Amino acid sequence: ENKPSTIIVLLKNFIEGFDSFMGGFIFYTPDPFGSTIKLKDASEIPGVTKYRDLFYQITIPVLAIIIAAIAISKIGSDDAQAIKSFGMRFLITLVLFVTVPHVLSYSIQFNNLLVERITTTQQFTGFLQDYLDKSAQEIGSGEDPEKYGIPSYDISLMGGIFKSLGKFIVQTFLFILTFLFLLGSFVYIGFQFVIRFATLLFLGVLYPIIIPFALAERTQHIVETFFKTWFTFLIQQPAFVLGFAIANDIFMNILNAQGPTVGMLFFYTGFLFFLGGVNMLVGRLFGDAWGMFTTNMQAAIATRATTAPVSTRMNDFKRGLTR
């Protein structure tokens, strides 16, 4: 039967089911450090505490081996600066063991609060639902469904199709192209955020075995890479939500002013694909900033290590002259 409203209902049912699951990852980051992990819709999944505890048990002998290896290498050494540096690293490692789980958990809570402040809209497919609602209203008032990308043909009258086979093919092609392209962008972005959560969950298990690498200067970059990866993945969400909120405001205003059109849907889909690549943009910006920060810190440490003996000798020389 020629009922475009039926097609609209089917599409709305699909995107509502999609939004109920994916929206909980796009606008919210579940905390992976609880005994149970609560999702946005209040459902719960088992936590990964037992795996984290396993890595804590592995960390203790690893930490003892690293300390023993460094201590053996320093036996008989008169380099007080190296011994002092090792003592500071050991103290920093102990502090990290105590603070890192709280820092990571609080960073997720802060991330969720920031997302809530950026936008109150918690529906990823809200624009498409409004588009379909307005299309259904216009079609119900007598407008041509083809104007809104909905095919209009009576498939029960096969003779009518064969009389205008070209129109039938074009309508079907444009309908499939328009909505599969749009739904493909939803799936593309949705899976990115599911993978993002899986990555944070995995990093939340690994950190006990990562922290001991801060003891050695040659392996400290492993700890730096861990924190860089964590905060890069974490900041991707507010960056995406900010871009999504801006694009949603723009297209909602156009939709309310001009009504639904297929061209608008194509441009909106283009914005979604652009926002799907915001993780690469954030990774590049955050990575460059992190690289500059660590380079400056390493340069400062190297300068301190080089100038400290000279400064000490100069101070001793000055004290000798004054006496």
Side-chain angles (χ1 to χ4, degrees), residues 247-321:
N248 202 56
D249 289 341
I250 293 173
F251 283 96
M252 284 300 296
N253 289 330
I254 298 175
L255 179 64
N256 293 329
Q258 300 182 4
T261 61
V262 180
M264 179 195 307
L265 215 53
F266 269 106
F267 276 105
Y268 180 74
T269 306
F271 263 82
L272 290 181
F273 274 107
F274 165 75
L275 293 175
V278 75
N279 59 337
M280 294 182 287
L281 178 62
V282 170
R284 177 64 183 273
L285 293 175
F286 192 83
D288 290 345
W290 184 278
M292 293 174 61
F293 173 76
T294 54
T295 300
N296 292 337
M297 288 295 294
Q298 291 172 359
I301 293 172
T303 302
R304 175 64 181 167
T306 304
T307 58
V310 178
S311 300
T312 302
R313 291 186 177 87
M314 289 298 295
N315 292 334
D316 293 342
F317 179 73
K318 289 178 182 179
R319 283 197 297 267
L321 285 178

Side-chain angles (χ1 to χ4, degrees), residues 6-308:
T6 304
I7 299 176
I8 293 177
V9 171
L10 290 174
L11 290 173
K12 287 193 63 177
N13 290 337
F14 175 81
I15 62 175
E16 286 175 0
F18 177 87
D19 207 356
S20 64
F21 179 75
M22 291 297 183
F25 293 101
I26 295 174
F27 296 97
Y28 179 78
T29 301
D31 190 349
F33 296 97
S35 55
T36 58
I37 301 174
K38 295 183 179 180
L39 303 181
K40 183 68 174 178
D41 59 357
S43 60
E44 297 182 354
I45 59 176
V48 291
T49 306
K50 61 179 181 180
Y51 302 106
R52 192 179 302 113
D53 293 340
L54 174 64
F55 278 103
Y56 267 118
Q57 296 172 6
I58 296 175
T59 298
I60 295 175
V62 170
L63 188 63
I65 292 172
I66 295 176
I67 293 174
I70 296 176
I72 292 173
S73 66
K74 300 299 182 183
I75 291 178
S77 174
D78 295 330
D79 191 350
Q81 188 67 26
I83 297 175
K84 180 181 178 182
S85 176
F86 171 70
M88 289 297 298
R89 290 180 181 278
F90 180 72
L91 181 61
I92 291 173
T93 302
L94 294 181
V95 172
L96 287 176
F97 266 112
V98 176
T99 60
V100 162
H102 302 288
V103 170
L104 298 183
S105 181
Y106 286 139
S107 67
I108 290 178
Q109 297 178 30
F110 175 78
N111 180 82
N112 290 331
L113 290 174
L114 181 59
V115 170
E116 290 181 2
R117 293 290 295 175
I118 291 174
T119 179
T120 57
T121 302
Q122 299 295 313
Q123 283 190 332
F124 181 48
T125 59
F127 171 79
L128 184 56
Q129 291 181 11
D130 290 341
Y131 178 91
L132 293 175
D133 287 337
K134 289 185 179 296
S135 299
Q137 292 176 4
E138 296 293 334
I139 293 171
S141 63
E143 291 287 341
D144 188 357
E146 298 172 18
K147 180 180 178 181
Y148 312 109
I150 308 297
S152 176
Y153 42 77
D154 192 350
I155 202 166
S156 63
L157 300 177
M158 296 300 293
I161 294 177
F162 288 114
K163 289 179 181 178
S164 57
L165 184 59
K167 180 181 178 181
F168 170 76
I169 294 174
V170 171
Q171 284 183 352
T172 305
F173 173 77
L174 291 178
F175 174 74
I176 294 175
L177 179 65
T178 301
F179 286 95
L180 286 186
F181 189 47
L182 181 66
L183 296 177
S185 66
F186 288 159
V187 174
Y188 169 64
I189 294 173
F191 274 109
Q192 279 192 345
F193 279 90
V194 172
I195 293 171
R196 169 185 173 273
F197 171 70
T199 303
L200 293 176
L201 190 67
F202 187 71
L203 292 176
V205 172
L206 282 184
Y207 76 85
I209 201 68
I210 298 295
I211 294 176
F213 289 102
L215 282 171
E217 185 175 355
R218 293 181 178 180
T219 58
Q220 68 177 5
H221 68 278
I222 297 176
V223 183
E224 296 172 357
T225 302
F226 172 84
F227 284 107
K228 174 184 174 182
T229 305
W230 176 272
F231 287 106
T232 299
F233 272 93
L234 202 64
I235 204 173
Q236 286 176 5
Q237 188 177 53
F240 172 84
V241 172
L242 177 61
F244 178 77
I246 294 173
N248 202 56
D249 289 341
I250 293 173
F251 283 96
M252 284 300 296
N253 289 330
I254 298 175
L255 179 64
N256 293 329
Q258 300 182 4
T261 61
V262 180
M264 179 195 307
L265 215 53
F266 269 106
F267 276 105
Y268 180 74
T269 306
F271 263 82
L272 290 181
F273 274 107
F274 165 75
L275 293 175
V278 75
N279 59 337
M280 294 182 287
L281 178 62
V282 170
R284 177 64 183 273
L285 293 175
F286 192 83
D288 290 345
W290 184 278
M292 293 174 61
F293 173 76
T294 54
T295 300
N296 292 337
M297 288 295 294
Q298 291 172 359
I301 293 172
T303 302
R304 175 64 181 167
T306 304
T307 58

